[in-house]
Amino acid sequence: MGLVAEFDIECPALPLAGAASAVPEATIVLDLQYNHGDRPPFVVTVTDGSRRAFERALTAADDVAGWTLIGEAGTARRYRARPAYSFAGQLGDAVDDLEGLTDLATEDAIIERIEVLPEGWRQTGWFLDRTTFDAFASFWQDNAGFRLRRLTRDGDAEPPGDGLTDEQREALRIAYERGYFEIPRRTSLEGLADELGITASSVSERLRRAQTQLVQETVAPAWPPLAT
């Protein structure tokens, strides 16, 4: 039986970590199109945060050669960005074992979600077995930083196409039942926080992450090729 893991890779040299640091209030989810050579373009979904500030950060990022805003859906914006470097070129000064980094791509694993954080990436992935996961974790423990957030058997985890944690699902359910998404709202973040027993900022973070995940899984237009 396989494993589902959620973990943080603490490596600020990872793509777009600098942009996340410049706009920490934004939630940034990254897709890599691996069939586009050694510089796969980024598909970036952003919710919250200032659009202008994030786009300034993209323009200023030394790891982004160019970007295009593809579209918007509510508070979510989707971009395509051209990387300025290959992975080896970008991580060469931060990761000693570049050959091992290449080997990770051949492991029996599927990374289904990458959230960009100021300190690196938060990933959710499916792994064939414990040996496969341990190889992945050991590489990042040896070359950067690795913090496991969740590890479950695949039969016990959320089904594919959802990806929400139990806490995120509960926050969404209560927010919906209490009328938080209605216009006008029938409750506030503070009201939800009292019911969930957490702070208002924690409620906001859970809702943002849950909404980002749902957009990521349900909004999937066909992207045109990047101009050369």
Side-chain angles (χ1 to χ4, degrees), residues 56-69:
R56 282 201 305 264
L58 274 184
T59 300
D62 61 3
D63 55 1
V64 175
W67 59 269
T68 303
L69 174 64

Side-chain angles (χ1 to χ4, degrees), residues 167-212:
E167 292 81 4
Q168 290 168 351
R169 189 176 292 105
E170 180 187 27
L172 277 177
R173 178 183 60 79
I174 291 178
Y176 177 80
E177 291 175 350
R178 303 299 181 264
Y180 180 76
F181 299 115
E182 295 180 12
I183 302 174
R185 287 174 174 166
R186 293 193 289 108
T187 190
S188 64
L189 283 174
E190 288 73 17
L192 296 176
D194 288 343
E195 185 159 353
L196 290 167
I198 57 178
T199 65
S201 62
S202 295
V203 175
S204 177
E205 179 181 358
R206 285 187 189 178
L207 291 177
R208 286 193 295 110
R209 293 188 188 283
Q211 289 169 317
T212 297

